[in-house]
Amino acid sequence: MSTESSAESSAQSSAQSSVESSAESPSAASPEVTAKAITVRRARTGDVPAVRRLLDAYVRGGILLDKATVTLYEDIQEFWVAERDDNAEVVGCGALHVMWEDLAEVRTLAVKPGLKGAGVGHQLLEKLLHTARWLGVRRVFCLTFEVDFFGKHGFVEIGETPVDTDVYAELLRSYDEGVAEFLGLERVKPNTLGNSRMLLHL
């Protein structure tokens, strides 16, 4: 689910948004059971090791770009996690990064391999969109391989960066690699190859 990019960057943000439908191996629990017994809650620092494992499962397959563990701690307040009610296992995560007054990005959306079809990714994305509305955000961006997944939630593919000249100039001042991907800057183009730029109007 796009996935921001270089090791420390939010570039993992963008591609990271792309893992709900990339399950690799069967889960110990059936998707049906898991989907009915999941709680989506705010992430805590103690969840970072579990989030690290979720990302690593996709980094190894080249689906997501790596993200430094220190960055996960720094950004933990942006994260929500999906936790199984029966054993408190964290089986999914996702983050919402605010970029401007009315604009945010879904980042690092990842689900435990084997839970494809359980609805965990959909629950996480709905919580992130609810959070965006609560914050006053009216547009949500993602850079992703999972066009169909995000399309089910109303996201549509876009071309140009959807901000005016003044906002573009302000965003250029950001050190965040995910913002650089959003702007389509040349230095991060390799991180976005094959990804689709998508936007949702809330």
Side-chain angles (χ1 to χ4, degrees):
M1 319 192 64
S2 205
T3 161
E4 300 165 2
S5 301
S6 44
E8 267 213 70
S9 51
S10 329
Q12 311 139 352
S13 63
S14 343
Q16 297 173 198
S17 329
S18 58
V19 285
E20 156 72 358
S21 50
S22 306
E24 301 167 358
S25 60
S27 167
S30 72
E32 293 75 15
V33 173
T34 305
K36 295 177 182 176
I38 289 292
T39 296
V40 177
R41 61 165 175 80
R42 282 282 188 186
R44 300 184 286 264
T45 55
D47 297 316
V48 168
V51 171
R52 172 81 273 159
R53 288 190 293 273
L54 286 169
L55 297 188
D56 286 346
Y58 294 99
V59 169
R60 287 192 297 269
I63 297 170
L64 296 183
L65 293 170
D66 199 9
K67 189 167 191 172
T69 301
V70 65
T71 304
L72 297 176
Y73 281 110
E74 290 172 342
D75 296 343
I76 197 63
Q77 69 277 4
E78 297 183 350
F79 276 81
W80 290 81
V81 295
E83 180 182 79
R84 283 182 51 168
D85 294 339
D86 59 349
N87 62 8
E89 178 190 9
V90 171
V91 296
C93 65
L96 183 77
H97 181 79
V98 175
M99 293 192 284
W100 197 249
E101 178 183 7
D102 67 336
L103 180 67
E105 181 181 9
V106 170
R107 298 180 169 183
T108 322
L109 186 55
V111 174
K112 182 180 179 179
L115 290 185
K116 178 181 178 180
V120 177
H122 291 286
Q123 290 183 58
L124 281 163
L125 182 55
E126 282 301 322
K127 180 62 73 173
L128 296 176
L129 296 180
H130 175 80
T131 303
R133 293 184 182 94
W134 183 84
L135 289 170
V137 170
R138 293 293 170 259
R139 296 181 299 163
V140 180
F141 170 79
C142 70
L143 183 61
T144 183
F145 291 109
E146 301 298 338
V147 174
D148 291 342
F149 172 76
F150 281 93
K152 291 176 181 176
H153 291 265
F155 283 79
V156 296
E157 293 187 64
I158 60 171
E160 298 297 317
T161 301
V163 293
D164 62 32
T165 304
D166 291 341
V167 173
Y168 186 95
E170 286 293 332
L171 291 177
L172 282 175
R173 300 163 64 93
S174 173
Y175 292 102
D176 186 277
E177 287 295 293
V179 172
E181 288 184 330
F182 170 74
L183 297 177
L185 303 184
E186 285 300 321
R187 66 183 173 82
V188 295
K189 282 293 176 64
N191 301 328
T192 66
L193 292 177
N195 287 335
S196 294
R197 300 163 61 82
M198 302 187 77
L199 189 71
L200 170 68
H201 289 269
L202 297 175

